[in-house]
Amino acid sequence: MTMPKEDTNTMRALQGLENSSSSMRLQAALAVGTTPDPRFIDKLIERCTIEPDFYVREILTWALTRHSSSMTVPKLVDELGSERAQARSQALHTLSKIGDRQAWPAITRALLTDADDEVARSAWRAAVVLVPEGKKPELAGVLATQLGRGERETQLSLSRALIALGKVIMPTLRAAMTDLDPRVRQHAIATERLSRNPDAGFEFAIEEAKRVVALGTTSQEG
């Protein structure tokens, strides 16, 4: 008995996601996203946890967004408890792209302060997309505990997340500007400067913040 063409195509796509060639895996992910099928969801999520190629991961995420959120979101939320950092990070990234606010309760403080920078950054981005309006000040407070963390790329991600929350961050930022840790003060000042003048860029804001910290003032003047 021959297998129906649809089932043959499904099997071919699923097998393609495991091909040793990244271009073949990318093509398979594109095919899956172009013709969504609930049978693909588990495999897409499983592949996200181990896929080494950034561009393939992006297409895997896109393919998941093409499926019903009622089916993908619960499975992605389950991935947030994985011991594998890439599984947590990619699930958060995908949830941010889906944008279903039912996932908000799963964005925990533990994820927002995850020891892995990529997981934390993904959590920050997901949080600002999913947070209910009334929870923004609370989220700003948690994000502010990460000021001064990591290298420039991580710091820029946090600054962007804070700025995306809007004016609710200002009391928290002003408090951080007087923190005992100079890295925290510097990052808070840079974030405030960037929020006022986004065209200046993060590097300029950081250098200006360094100067302010060195002068021992948190004045918002020049």
Side-chain angles (χ1 to χ4, degrees):
M1 183 175 179
T2 58
M3 187 178 293
K5 184 178 179 182
E6 292 80 4
D7 288 341
T8 302
N9 291 341
T10 298
M11 289 300 298
R12 187 178 295 123
L14 290 173
Q15 290 169 358
L17 292 173
E18 296 183 343
N19 195 285
S20 60
S21 166
S22 60
S23 63
M24 292 298 291
R25 295 197 303 276
L26 190 146
Q27 288 179 33
L30 277 171
V32 170
T34 302
T35 312
D37 184 322
R39 291 176 293 178
F40 292 133
I41 293 173
D42 287 343
K43 187 63 178 181
L44 287 169
I45 292 175
E46 176 190 324
R47 189 67 213 174
C48 280
T49 69
I50 57 174
E51 174 55 53
D53 188 283
F54 170 80
Y55 296 104
V56 177
R57 291 200 302 272
E58 285 296 286
I59 301 301
L60 290 169
T61 283
W62 169 78
L64 282 164
T65 67
R66 298 271 295 156
H67 292 78
S68 169
S69 63
S70 65
M71 300 186 74
T72 57
V73 168
K75 292 176 182 290
L76 289 165
V77 166
D78 286 344
E79 289 295 296
L80 299 182
S82 172
E83 293 183 1
R84 188 186 289 266
Q86 183 170 308
R88 300 195 301 278
S89 175
Q90 201 64 24
L92 286 161
H93 177 59
T94 306
L95 287 169
S96 75
K97 294 298 184 183
I98 293 171
D100 187 334
R101 288 190 168 178
Q102 291 188 64
W104 164 248
I107 311 300
T108 61
R109 187 185 188 98
L111 288 168
L112 294 167
T113 61
D114 197 285
D116 185 281
D117 283 347
E118 196 55 46
V119 175
R121 290 172 61 197
S122 296
W124 302 337
R125 289 191 292 266
V128 298
V129 169
L130 302 174
V131 63
E133 192 66 33
K135 295 289 186 178
K136 286 185 176 182
E138 182 182 340
L139 175 58
V142 177
L143 293 181
T145 67
Q146 303 302 290
L147 285 165
R149 170 180 175 165
E151 302 302 321
R152 292 292 169 86
E153 191 176 10
T154 297
Q155 293 192 4
L156 176 56
S157 290
L158 181 61
S159 292
R160 284 174 171 165
L162 283 163
I163 291 167
L165 292 176
K167 293 181 179 180
V168 299
I169 67 168
M170 289 308 169
T172 304
L173 276 186
R174 292 192 190 103
M177 287 179 192
T178 62
D179 195 275
L180 294 175
D181 186 337
R183 280 178 60 86
V184 173
R185 294 202 304 275
Q186 179 181 299
H187 194 181
I189 293 166
T191 302
E192 190 273 338
R193 295 293 197 272
L194 194 63
S195 72
R196 286 196 286 134
N197 187 13
D199 292 336
F202 189 65
E203 285 298 322
F204 178 83
I206 278 287
E207 292 306 315
E208 187 180 5
K210 282 182 179 178
R211 179 176 62 81
V212 171
V213 170
L215 292 171
T217 175
T218 58
S219 168
Q220 294 187 27
E221 295 299 322

